[in-house]
C-alpha cells in the first residue's frame, strides 16, 4: 500500500523541523526492518519519542543510520540463539523506547561520532557502556583495563586487541556523559580529566603487557612513566598524542645501572608499541617521549640523577615549562614521586633564568609562525586566539609568580587560571572571559575530534560538518553560521587578553627578582630596602605593611607590584618619597577597580608611576590631589599634551555643569591640574622636548585664561543683566606670549577691549575692568591646581595704569609715551584668549612700535644697555651668586633673551624672520641673517636651553620653583637626573652650567654691550 502524497510531505516536513538534513532518506530508514519494535514507520512515527530524541543530537541523520546499523548487528547476534544476546537486544529496545538517560546517551553518541558508531556496530554488546555510563576514578579505570589485558581477562584475544576494546568501552562512556551534559562547557574539566585518567589507565595496562613481553628481566628494573602535556595536566583531548617521560632505576643493589637502563628501554619500547601499534582493533594513540632530555636524540630512559644533571646544566626554558604539567601515570609510583620531588624545585626557579620571559614569548611566536598558512585561519589550537594563547599566558604567569606563591602550582590550565585570578595576578573579568573562551574552544575541539576520532585542531569548512558542529554546541536556527560567529568572537577575545597578559612588561621585571625578593617577606624586605638605598628602611617597611597586609584582592595585587616597584623607586634619587606618595595614592584609589588593574596590566604604567613619584615631588603632589589622573599612565597616547582647542572645549564642558562661578572655575582648574600632571609625566619620562613642554604649558595657560574669562564675563553680564558692552582680548606677554612657559611661570598679560562707537566709553571701561578683576579673583583663590598668577604689570603706566584699556587707548599711549623697554616687552605680545579679531588688531597695531622703522637709535640702544646693567645689579636677590643664578646671573636666561631682543628691536623692521615671539626662533633668524655668528648662536642657545631645563627640573624635583643652582648634593642629583645626567653626577651639574654660562656671557658682552 502506497502512502498518500500529502502524508509524505507532512512526514518529511516534520522530520526536517526535527533537524534531519535529508528527510526523505530518514523516512526510508525509519521503515527499515531493523527498527521493528522501535518505531512504526506509518502511523506512530512521533508517538514513541525515539525520533524526537534524535532531533536533539548533533546529526540526526547520522544517529538514525547508526541506530539501524546497531540494531542490525544486534539482530545478527540474536539469531545466534545466545540467550544473553537475546536479552541484550530486548534491553536495548526497551532502553531506546523509553525517554531517559540511556536513550539520550545512545542517540547522542550515534549522532555525535561516526567512528564510535562504527565501533558499536563492530562490538554491539558495548552499548551498555553508553547506557550505563558513570563517573569513574582513575583507579577504577586502571583496574578494569589491567584486568582486561591480563591472560585470564583477555581470553582468546591478543593483549593489544583486548586493550583497545576495553579502552573504547570506557571512551564510549566518557563520550556519552559529555555529549548529554546540559552545558558541555561546564562539564569540560570532568570530560578532559576522565580522558587523561583513561590514558593513564591504558599506559598502566600497556606497562603490564610490556612486563609480560620482556619476561623475567623486567624484575631487574623499576620503571616510572611520567605523564606530560595534557595527559599530565589531566586535561586531555579525545584524540591526542600522549606525552611521557620514562624514569628507570635498578630494582635491586646487585643490578647495575647499565643493565637496569637496558631493561627499562625494552619495557618503555614495548609499552609504546602496545599503545600505538595498528591491529585488527585499530590503535589507541602514539606515545610521544620527545619531551625527554635531549629530545628524540636522547636516551629513551634515564635515571633520576641523570635527569637532574641534565636539567641543572643543559635544559632550555621550554623544558621547564613542559615539566609544569608532569605527574605520575604508570609504573613505579614511588620512583615517580622521587623524580617529581627532584625536578619540581627547578621548575619553580626557572623564571629566574636570564631572558626567561622573553624566551617563552619567542617560543609562542615560533609556534604561530610554524602553522601552515593554509591552516592558520582555521586553527583552534595553535593559531592566534587559539588554545595555545590561553595555555601559554597561564603558564608564563604561573612560572613567574609561582616562585613565591604555591597556590599557582597546578598543571591544569583552568585550575591555574582560577588561582591566578584569586591571587590578583589576572583581573577577574579577564580570567572569566578567558575561561569561558577556553572552555568553548576545547568543546569545539572535542566535538570535531569525536566525529571521526581523529587528531585534528582545525575548524571544518564543509557545510555538513559545520552544521553538525553548530548543533553539537546548541545552535538550531542557522547552526553553521552561528558556530563560526561564536568561534571567531571567542578567538578575538582570547587574542586580546593574551596579548595583554603575555606581553605584560611587569612579567619581565618580576622574573628578574630573586625568589626572596619576589616573596617580599618582612625579613627579605628589610634587607632589600637597605640594600636599595632607602634612607628610612623602617618607615618604608611601615608603608609596605600597610599596603600589603590582609587577604584582600587589593593587598594581593600590591604584593605582586611592590617587589618590582621597590627597585624602580630605588633607581631615582628619592625612593622614600616615591614609596610614600605611592601609598597615599593607593590609599585613595586602592579600592577603585581600574587602578591596580591598570598598574598590573597596562603597558609600563607601574614603572612609569614609580619613576615619576620618586623623581618629582611636583608630579607626586599633583597626583595625590587628583589621583584619578594616574589613568594617563595606562595609555601611551595618554601622555601626549592636548591641543589648546581641546583643552578649552573640555574646560567649558566641565564648567557647564556647575551652578556658580566659583564651582565653574574650580572644574576648569581640575582639568588644568590633570593636564599639568600629563605634561609633567611626559617631560619626566623623556617624551617631550623642552620646546614642546613650553608650548604645552602655554596652551594650558591660555585655555585656563579663556575659561576664567568665560566665567568672569558670565558673572558681569549677570550683574549688568545685559550682554557685555565691549569685546575683550587677553594678550600674552613674556614667556606666555613667547610660548616658552615653565612650570612656575606667571601669566604676564595685557587686557584690551573694544566697544561699538555708540557705547559710552566709561560704561565699556567699567565693564571690562570688572571682568578683569573677576578673572583675578577667580584665579587667585585657593583651588585644586597650583595657583596661576595673573601679572598685568607690563601694561602702560605699570601698576598705576588701568587694568584694561581700549585698543585706541593703547595706540594713543604707545604713540605718545611708550618707552624703549615697553617696545621691548611688546616683542613677546601674542593674543592668547578672548576676541580673536581684536587680538589680531592689537598685534597689527603694536608692530610699528616693537619693530620701529629704521631700528633703534644709538640713544635707545644705550638706554636698553643701561636698563639691563641696572637690572643685573638691583634685581639679583641678596646673597645670590651671579654665576649660579640661571635667570638673572651672568650668561643666564636674561642675558640671552635681552641680547636676542636687542637684535629684534634693531633689525626686525627689515628682516621679517626676526618678527617672532620665541627666543630660540628669533636667535635662529639672527644667525641666518648674519647678525650672530653660528658658534655664538650655538653658545647662546645651549646656555638658554640648559638654564630653562634646570628651572623646570628644579620645580619638578622640589615641588617649588627656584632660579639658583642647588647646593645640596641630593637635590643636585635629583635635578641632574631629570635633565638627563647619570645618577650620582649631581656634583657636576653646577660646573656644566657655569661652563655654558661663561661661553654665553662672552657672546653677550660682544653682541649686547660692545656692538655698535
Amino acid at each position: 500500500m502506497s502512502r498518500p502524497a500529502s502524508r509524505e510531505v507532512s512526514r518529511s516536513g516534520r522530520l526536517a523541523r526535527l533537524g534531519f538534513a535529508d528527510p526523505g532518506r530518514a523516512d526510508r530508514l525509519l521503515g527499515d526492518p531493523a527498527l521493528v519494535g522501535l518505531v512504526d514507520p506509518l502511523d506512530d512515527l512521533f508517538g514513541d519519542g525515539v525520533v524526537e530524541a534524535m532531533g536533539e543530537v548533533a546529526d540526526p541523520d547520522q544517529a538514525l543510520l547508526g541506530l539501524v546499523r546497531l540494531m542490525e548487528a544486534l539482530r545478527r547476534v540474536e539469531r545466534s540463539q545466545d540467550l544473553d544476546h537475546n536479552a541484550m537486544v530486548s534491553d536495548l529496545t526497551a532502553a531506546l523506547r523509553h525517554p531517559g538517560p540511556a536513550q539520550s546517551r545512545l542517540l547522542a553518541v550515534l549522532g555525535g561520532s561516526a567512528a564510535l558508531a562504527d565501533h558499536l556496530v563492530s562490538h554491539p554488546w558495548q552499548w551498555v557502556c553508553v547506557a550505563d555510563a558513570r563517573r569513574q576514578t582513575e583507579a577504577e579505570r586502571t583496574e578494569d583495563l589491567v584486568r582486561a589485558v591480563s591472560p585470564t581477562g583477555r581470553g582468546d584475544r591478543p593483549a593489544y586487541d583486548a586493550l583497545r576494546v576495553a579502552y573504547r568501552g570506557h571512551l564510549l562512556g566518557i563520550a556519552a556523559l559529555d555529549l548529554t551534559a546540559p552545558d558541555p562547557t561546564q562539564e569540560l574539566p570532568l570530560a578532559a580529566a576522565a580522558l587523561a585518567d583513561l590514558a593513564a589507565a591504558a599506559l598502566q595496562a600497556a606497562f603490564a603487557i610490556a612486563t609480560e613481553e620482556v619476561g623475567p628481566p623486567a624484575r631487574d628494573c623499576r620503571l616510572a612513566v611520567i605523564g606530560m602535556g595534557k595527559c599530565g595536566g589531566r586535561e586531555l583531548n579525545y584524540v591526542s598524542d600522549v606525552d611521557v617521560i620514562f624514569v628507570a632505576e635498578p630494582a635491586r643493589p646487585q643490578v647495575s645501572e647499565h643493565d637496569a637502563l637496558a631493561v627499562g628501554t625494552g619495557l618503555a619500547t614495548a609499552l609504546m608499541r602496545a599503545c600505538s601499534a595498528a591491529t585488527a582493533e585499530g590503535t589507541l594513540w602514539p606515545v610521544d617521549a620527545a619531551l625527554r632530555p635531549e629530545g628524540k636524540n636522547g636516551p629513551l630512559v634515564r635515571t633520576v640523577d641523570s635527569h637532574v644533571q641534565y636539567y641543572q646544566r643543559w635544559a632550555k626554558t621550554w623544558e621547564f615549562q613542559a615539566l609544569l604539567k608532569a605527574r605520575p601515570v604508570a609504573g613505579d609510583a614511588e620512583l615517580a614521586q622521587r623524580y617529581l620531588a627532584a625536578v619540581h624545585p627547578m621548575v619553580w626557579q626557572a623564571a629566574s633564568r636570564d631572558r626567561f620571559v622573553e624566551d617563552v614569548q619567542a617560543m609562542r611566536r615560533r609556534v604561530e609562525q610554524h602553522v601552515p598558512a593554509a591552516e592558520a585561519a582555521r586553527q583552534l589550537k595553535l593559531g592566534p586566539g587559539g588554545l595555545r594563547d590561553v595555555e601559554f599566558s597561564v603558564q608564563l604567569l604561573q612560572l613567574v609568580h609561582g616562585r613565591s606563591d604555591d597556590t599557582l602550582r597546578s598543571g591544569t590550565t583552568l585550575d591555574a587560571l582560577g588561582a591566578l585570578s584569586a591571587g590578583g595576578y589576572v583581573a577577574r573579568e579577564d580570567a572569566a572571559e578567558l575561561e569561558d573562551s577556553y572552555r568553548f574552544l576545547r568543546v569545539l575541539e572535542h566535538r570535531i575530534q569525536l566525529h571521526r576520532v581523529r587528531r585534528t585542531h582545525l575548524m571544518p569548512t564543509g557545510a555538513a560538518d559545520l552544521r553538525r558542529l553548530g548543533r553539537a554546541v546548541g545552535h538550531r536556527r542557522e547552526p553553521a553560521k552561528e558556530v563560526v560567529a561564536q568561534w571567531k568572537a571567542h578567538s578575538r577575545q582570547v587574542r586580546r587578553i593574551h596579548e595583554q597578559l603575555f606581553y605584560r612588561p611587569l612579567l619581565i621585571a618580576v622574573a628578574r627578582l630573586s625568589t626572596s625578593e619576589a616573596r617580599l617577606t618582612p625579613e627579605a624586605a628589610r634587607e632589600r630596602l637597605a640594600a636599595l638605598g632607602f634612607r628610612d628602611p623602617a618607615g618604608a617597611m611601615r608603608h609596605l605593611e600597610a599596603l600589603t597586609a590582609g587577604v584582600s584582592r587589593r593587598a594581593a595585587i600590591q604584593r605582586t607590584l611592590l617587589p618590582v616597584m621597590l627597585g624602580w623607586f630605588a633607581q631615582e634619587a628619592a625612593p622614600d618619597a616615591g614609596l610614600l606618595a605611592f601609598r597615599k595614592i593607593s590609599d585613595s584609589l586602592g579600592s577603585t577597580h581600574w587602578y591596580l588593574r591598570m598598574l598590573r596590566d597596562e603597558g609600563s604604567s607601574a614603572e612609569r608611576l614609580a619613576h615619576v613619584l620618586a623623581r618629582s615631588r611636583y608630579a607626586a603632589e599633583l597626583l595625590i590631589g587628583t589621583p584619578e589622573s594616574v589613568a594617563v599612565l595606562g595609555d601611551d597616547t595618554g601622555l601626549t599634551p592636548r591641543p589648546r582647542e581641546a583643552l578649552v572645549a573640555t574646560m567649558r564642558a566641565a564648567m557647564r555643569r556647575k551652578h556658580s562661578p566659583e564651582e565653574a572655575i574650580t572644574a576648569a582648574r581640575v582639568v588644568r591640574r590633570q593636564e599639568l600632571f600629563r605634561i609633567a609625566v611626559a617631560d619626566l619620562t623623556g617624551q617631550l622636548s623642552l620646546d614642546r613642554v613650553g608650548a604645552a604649558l602655554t596652551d594650558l595657560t591660555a585655555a585656563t585664561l579663556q575659561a576664567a574669562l568665560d566665567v568672569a564675563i558670565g558673572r558681569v553680564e549677570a550683574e549688568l543683566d545685559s550682554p557685555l558692552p565691549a569685546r575683550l582680548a587677553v594678550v600674552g606677554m613674556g614667556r606666555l606670549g613667547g610660548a616658552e612657559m615653565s612650570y612656575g611661570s606667571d601669566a604676564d598679560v595685557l587686557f584690551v577691549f573694544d566697544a561699538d562707537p555708540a557705547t559710552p566709553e566709561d560704561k565699556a571701561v567699567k565693564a571690562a575692568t570688572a571682568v578683569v578683576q573677576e578673572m583675578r579673583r577667580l584665579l587667585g583663590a585657593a583651588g585644586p591646581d597650583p595657583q596661576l598668577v595673573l601679572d598685568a604689570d607690563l601694561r602702560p603706566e605699570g601698576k598705576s595704569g588701568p587694568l584694561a584699556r581700549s585698543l585706541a587707548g593703547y595706540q594713543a599711549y604707545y604713540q605718545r609715551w611708550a618707552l624703549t623697554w615697553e617696545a621691548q616687552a611688546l616683542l613677546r605680545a601674542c593674543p592668547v584668549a578672548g576676541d580673536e579679531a581684536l587680538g589680531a588688531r592689537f598685534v597689527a597695531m603694536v608692530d610699528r612700535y616693537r619693530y620701529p622703522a629704521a631700528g633703534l637709535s644709538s640713544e635707545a640702544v644705550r638706554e636698553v644697555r643701561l636698563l639691563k646693567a641696572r637690572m643685573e645689579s638691583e634685581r639679583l636677590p641678596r646673597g645670590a651668586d651671579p654665576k649660579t643664578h640661571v635667570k638673572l646671573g651672568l650668561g643666564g636666561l636674561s642675558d640671552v633673551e635681552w641680547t636676542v631682543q636687542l637684535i629684534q628691536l634693531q633689525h626686525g623692521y627689515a628682516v621679517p624672520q626676526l618678527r617672532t615671539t620665541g627666543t630660540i626662533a628669533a636667535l635662529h633668524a639672527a644667525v641666518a641673517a648674519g647678525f650672530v655668528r653660528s658658534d655664538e648662536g650655538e653658545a647662546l642657545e645651549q646656555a638658554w636651553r640648559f638654564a630653562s631645563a634646570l628651572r623646570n627640573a628644579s620645580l619638578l624635583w622640589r615641588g617649588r620653583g627656584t632660579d639658583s643652582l642647588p647646593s645640596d648634593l641630593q637635590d643636585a642629583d635629583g635635578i641632574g637626573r631629570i635633565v638627563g645626567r647619570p645618577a650620582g653626577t649631581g656634583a657636576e651639574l653646577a660646573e656644566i652650567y657655569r661652563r655654558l654660562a661663561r661661553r654665553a656671557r662672552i657672546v653677550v658682552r660682544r653682541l649686547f654691550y660692545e656692538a655698535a
Side-chain angles (χ1 to χ4, degrees):
M1 182 178 73
S2 63
R3 300 171 184 165
S6 61
R7 183 159 184 170
E8 291 284 351
V9 172
S10 174
R11 291 168 63 85
S12 295
R14 295 174 75 183
L15 287 168
R17 286 192 294 273
L18 282 173
F20 286 88
D22 188 347
R25 179 171 177 264
D27 195 9
R28 291 191 296 274
L29 284 173
L30 287 168
D32 193 285
L35 299 185
V36 171
L38 275 178
V39 296
D40 185 327
L42 289 178
D43 301 319
D44 199 25
L45 175 58
F46 300 99
D48 51 34
V50 176
V51 181
E52 293 94 322
M54 288 183 194
E56 298 300 318
V57 305
D59 190 338
D61 300 83
Q62 179 181 289
L64 177 55
L65 177 61
L67 181 59
V68 171
R69 295 175 61 215
L70 175 60
M71 295 306 296
E72 285 177 343
L74 279 172
R75 301 284 186 199
R76 287 194 297 272
V77 173
E78 184 182 26
R79 286 192 289 273
S80 71
Q81 302 302 312
D82 186 311
L83 294 179
D84 288 341
H85 288 142
N86 291 341
M88 190 177 295
V89 174
S90 300
D91 291 345
L92 175 57
T93 301
L96 287 168
R97 285 188 64 88
H98 296 91
Q103 182 194 71
S104 61
R105 290 171 185 169
L106 283 161
L107 295 177
V109 169
L110 293 172
S113 175
L116 290 181
D118 290 343
H119 177 78
L120 277 174
V121 170
S122 299
H123 307 81
W125 64 89
Q126 283 195 330
W127 71 267
V128 296
C129 297
V130 179
D132 298 339
R134 64 180 180 84
R135 304 286 180 203
Q136 289 181 277
T137 65
E138 182 178 346
E140 289 175 315
R141 297 187 193 281
T142 300
E143 181 182 359
D144 187 59
L145 264 62
V146 170
R147 182 172 58 249
V149 302
S150 67
T152 57
R154 63 182 182 248
D156 295 335
R157 278 199 184 95
Y160 287 11
D161 287 348
L163 174 58
R164 284 148 182 71
V165 172
Y167 175 89
R168 292 204 175 87
H170 282 268
L171 190 65
L172 284 166
I174 294 170
L177 295 175
D178 183 16
L179 290 168
T180 56
D183 183 351
T185 60
Q186 293 305 307
E187 296 294 318
L188 169 73
L190 294 175
L195 290 167
D197 291 348
L198 178 58
L203 289 170
Q204 187 63 49
F207 179 72
I209 296 172
T211 302
E212 183 181 340
E213 289 182 0
V214 171
R219 294 194 293 269
D220 293 339
C221 174
R222 300 171 63 195
L223 182 71
V225 186
I226 308 299
M228 304 288 285
K230 290 187 180 300
C231 179
R234 297 190 75 232
E235 50 188 11
L236 197 61
N237 303 329
Y238 277 96
V239 189
S240 175
D241 292 355
V242 173
D243 297 309
V244 298
I245 287 177
F246 295 106
V247 185
E249 295 284 350
R252 298 182 304 280
Q254 57 269 37
V255 179
S256 70
E257 183 178 295
H258 177 271
D259 291 343
L261 290 176
V263 173
T265 301
L267 283 169
T269 303
L271 180 151
M272 296 170 73
R273 186 171 55 248
C275 295
S276 58
T279 74
E281 294 290 351
T283 183
L284 297 185
W285 17 254
V287 177
D288 190 345
L291 293 178
R292 67 186 184 269
E294 301 178 71
K296 295 179 180 179
N297 297 321
L300 184 61
V301 177
R302 288 178 184 255
T303 64
V304 172
D305 287 345
S306 177
H307 277 97
V308 169
Q309 290 172 15
Y310 172 83
Y311 289 124
Q312 287 177 337
R313 298 183 63 186
W314 309 110
K316 296 180 175 61
T317 294
W318 69 264
E319 293 177 279
F320 294 107
Q321 185 179 353
L323 283 171
L324 190 153
K325 292 183 175 292
R327 73 175 177 109
V329 290
D332 191 301
E334 187 279 330
L335 177 59
Q337 290 298 338
R338 185 149 58 87
Y339 168 85
L340 293 180
V343 300
H344 263 185
M346 289 185 280
V347 172
W348 300 109
Q349 292 304 313
S352 300
R353 294 162 60 95
D354 288 342
R355 295 188 57 79
F356 170 82
V357 173
E358 294 90 334
D359 287 347
V360 177
Q361 292 169 341
M363 182 164 59
R364 174 65 186 118
R365 289 191 291 269
R366 284 196 299 273
V367 169
E368 279 188 37
Q369 292 163 2
H370 282 85
V371 175
E375 296 181 359
R378 299 167 53 209
Q379 265 283 350
L380 286 169
K381 179 180 179 181
L382 303 178
L387 294 164
R388 277 290 187 267
D389 272 358
V390 181
E391 292 160 358
F392 264 74
S393 297
V394 169
Q395 290 165 21
L396 180 57
L397 289 169
Q398 280 183 276
L399 290 166
V400 169
H401 298 296
R403 294 179 301 163
S404 56
D405 189 344
D406 295 349
T407 66
L408 305 181
R409 300 182 179 183
S410 170
T412 304
T413 300
L414 289 177
D415 290 348
L417 181 57
L420 287 166
S421 176
Y425 305 99
V426 177
R428 281 185 288 246
E429 298 83 357
D430 288 345
E433 291 173 358
L434 211 56
E435 178 178 346
D436 184 47
S437 295
Y438 184 75
R439 287 175 182 268
F440 178 76
L441 294 175
R442 285 295 307 274
V443 167
L444 284 186
E445 182 183 51
H446 280 188
R447 298 298 178 264
I448 293 167
Q449 290 182 346
L450 259 178
H451 178 51
R452 294 293 182 191
V453 188
R454 288 178 183 166
R455 184 171 184 253
T456 178
H457 309 286
L458 297 178
M459 280 289 288
T461 56
D465 290 331
L466 285 172
R467 180 177 185 273
R468 179 178 54 254
L469 181 60
R471 287 178 58 86
V473 295
H475 297 298
R476 290 294 183 267
R477 181 173 299 177
E478 294 183 88
K481 184 183 295 185
E482 290 167 348
V483 73
V484 170
Q486 191 177 9
W487 159 56
K488 289 184 176 179
H490 279 292
S491 293
R492 287 192 297 269
Q493 192 81 296
V494 166
R495 191 60 171 184
R496 177 186 66 80
I497 300 174
H498 164 77
E499 289 179 343
Q500 175 182 299
L501 297 179
F502 196 63
Y503 297 100
R504 181 188 288 173
L506 189 67
L507 283 173
I508 296 175
V510 173
R512 289 173 179 163
L513 299 175
S514 69
T515 302
S516 61
E517 290 171 338
R519 286 185 185 276
L520 201 70
T521 60
E523 297 76 12
R526 288 189 188 93
E527 293 175 5
R528 188 158 187 247
L529 289 168
L532 287 172
F534 280 78
R535 294 191 170 195
D536 181 11
M541 273 302 301
R542 289 193 294 273
H543 300 321
L544 291 179
E545 289 165 356
L547 288 165
T548 61
V551 295
S552 67
R553 185 174 185 81
R554 169 184 170 184
I557 297 176
Q558 299 277 30
R559 285 193 289 270
T560 302
L561 291 169
L562 280 166
V564 180
M565 294 187 74
L566 289 178
W568 291 329
F569 289 137
Q571 291 172 11
E572 301 299 336
D576 300 79
L579 179 57
L580 173 60
F582 179 71
R583 178 183 174 183
K584 290 180 178 179
I585 294 161
S586 294
D587 285 345
S588 298
L589 290 178
S591 59
T592 306
H593 73 280
W594 55 265
Y595 166 61
L596 291 175
R597 175 179 179 176
M598 182 200 73
L599 295 183
R600 181 192 59 204
D601 297 343
E602 300 293 339
S604 301
S605 54
E607 184 174 4
R608 284 176 181 161
L609 178 62
H611 285 297
V612 165
L613 295 181
R615 184 177 289 188
S616 170
R617 183 175 299 173
Y618 178 77
E621 289 173 351
L622 286 173
L623 188 55
I624 291 168
T626 51
E628 62 275 8
S629 300
V630 76
V632 304
L633 299 173
D635 180 5
D636 288 337
T637 61
L639 296 182
T640 302
R642 301 172 68 191
R644 186 179 305 187
E645 297 76 12
L647 290 168
V648 170
T650 301
M651 289 179 178
R652 283 174 171 167
M655 294 190 302
R656 275 196 295 271
R657 297 188 290 268
K658 304 305 177 183
H659 301 294
S660 70
E662 290 75 16
E663 290 176 344
I665 198 62
T666 297
R669 291 176 67 176
V670 167
V671 175
R672 177 174 180 257
R673 185 181 192 117
Q674 292 170 339
E675 191 65 17
L676 279 173
F677 179 71
R678 187 196 312 276
I679 296 167
V681 173
D683 187 3
L684 289 162
T685 55
Q687 298 188 45
L688 288 184
S689 65
L690 178 67
D691 292 341
R692 290 186 64 198
V693 170
L697 290 171
T698 299
D699 283 343
L700 178 57
T701 300
T704 307
L705 292 175
Q706 183 64 61
L709 180 62
D710 290 347
V711 176
I713 289 175
R715 179 161 219 164
V716 171
E717 288 181 337
E719 291 174 352
L720 294 174
D721 197 23
S722 65
L724 196 72
R727 295 174 294 280
L728 194 65
V730 183
V731 177
M733 304 288 283
R735 286 184 169 270
L736 173 59
E740 298 167 345
M741 291 196 75
S742 65
Y743 293 101
S745 295
D746 294 344
D748 293 314
V749 292
L750 300 177
F751 296 99
V752 57
F753 70 87
D754 193 21
D756 294 330
T759 302
E761 177 79 10
D762 61 336
K763 183 178 180 181
V765 170
K766 184 178 180 181
T769 302
V771 169
V772 173
Q773 290 173 335
E774 179 66 5
M775 282 182 68
R776 296 179 76 175
R777 184 187 73 82
L778 291 170
L779 292 174
D785 58 332
Q787 191 176 50
L788 177 62
V789 177
L790 271 183
D791 188 341
D793 289 354
L794 292 177
R795 67 187 184 271
E797 301 176 72
K799 294 180 181 180
S800 302
L803 280 172
R805 284 179 186 258
S806 67
L807 182 63
Y810 274 107
Q811 184 170 3
Y813 174 85
Y814 289 133
Q815 189 171 357
R816 297 184 61 190
W817 309 109
L819 301 175
T820 303
W821 73 264
E822 290 178 297
Q824 182 181 350
L826 287 172
L827 288 169
R828 300 276 195 113
C830 178
V832 293
D835 190 283
E836 293 181 8
L838 177 58
R841 289 167 60 200
F842 178 87
V843 168
M845 182 269 293
V846 300
D847 274 352
R848 74 190 70 170
Y849 305 112
R850 58 181 175 178
Y851 309 122
L856 288 183
S857 66
S858 58
E859 182 180 348
V861 170
R862 186 164 53 253
E863 181 183 342
V864 172
R865 289 170 175 167
L866 287 172
L867 185 60
K868 174 70 167 69
R870 194 176 73 188
M871 186 184 71
E872 288 180 11
S873 62
E874 295 178 1
R875 292 187 58 191
L876 195 68
R878 181 176 298 177
D881 184 349
K883 295 180 180 179
T884 59
H885 198 279
V886 299
K887 181 179 181 182
L888 301 175
L890 305 178
L893 293 169
S894 179
D895 264 5
V896 177
E897 290 164 0
W898 279 63
T899 300
V900 171
Q901 289 162 16
L902 179 58
I903 294 171
Q904 288 180 284
L905 289 168
Q906 291 175 308
H907 305 287
Y909 74 96
V911 181
Q913 291 79 8
L914 285 171
R915 300 171 198 169
T916 175
T917 60
T919 300
I920 298 302
L923 177 59
H924 289 169
V927 172
F931 302 125
V932 179
R933 297 199 312 262
S934 59
D935 61 319
E936 293 176 327
E938 181 181 355
L940 292 176
E941 181 172 353
Q942 286 181 346
W944 187 90
R945 288 189 179 280
F946 195 61
S948 297
L950 286 176
R951 288 185 85 199
N952 278 343
S954 295
L955 187 137
L956 287 171
W957 166 254
R958 292 179 169 136
R960 51 185 174 82
T962 180
D963 291 324
S964 293
L965 292 179
S967 56
D968 180 84
L969 280 180
Q970 186 185 19
D971 287 343
D973 188 30
I975 294 168
R977 294 181 196 222
I978 294 174
V979 298
R981 299 293 303 162
T985 61
E988 303 171 10
L989 200 64
E991 180 53 37
I992 294 170
Y993 172 75
R994 282 194 290 265
R995 183 171 64 251
L996 293 174
R998 280 196 301 270
R999 289 179 58 204
R1001 183 65 178 183
I1002 292 170
V1003 176
V1004 169
R1005 285 198 192 101
R1006 190 186 80 78
L1007 293 178
F1008 188 82
Y1009 287 110
E1010 298 173 4

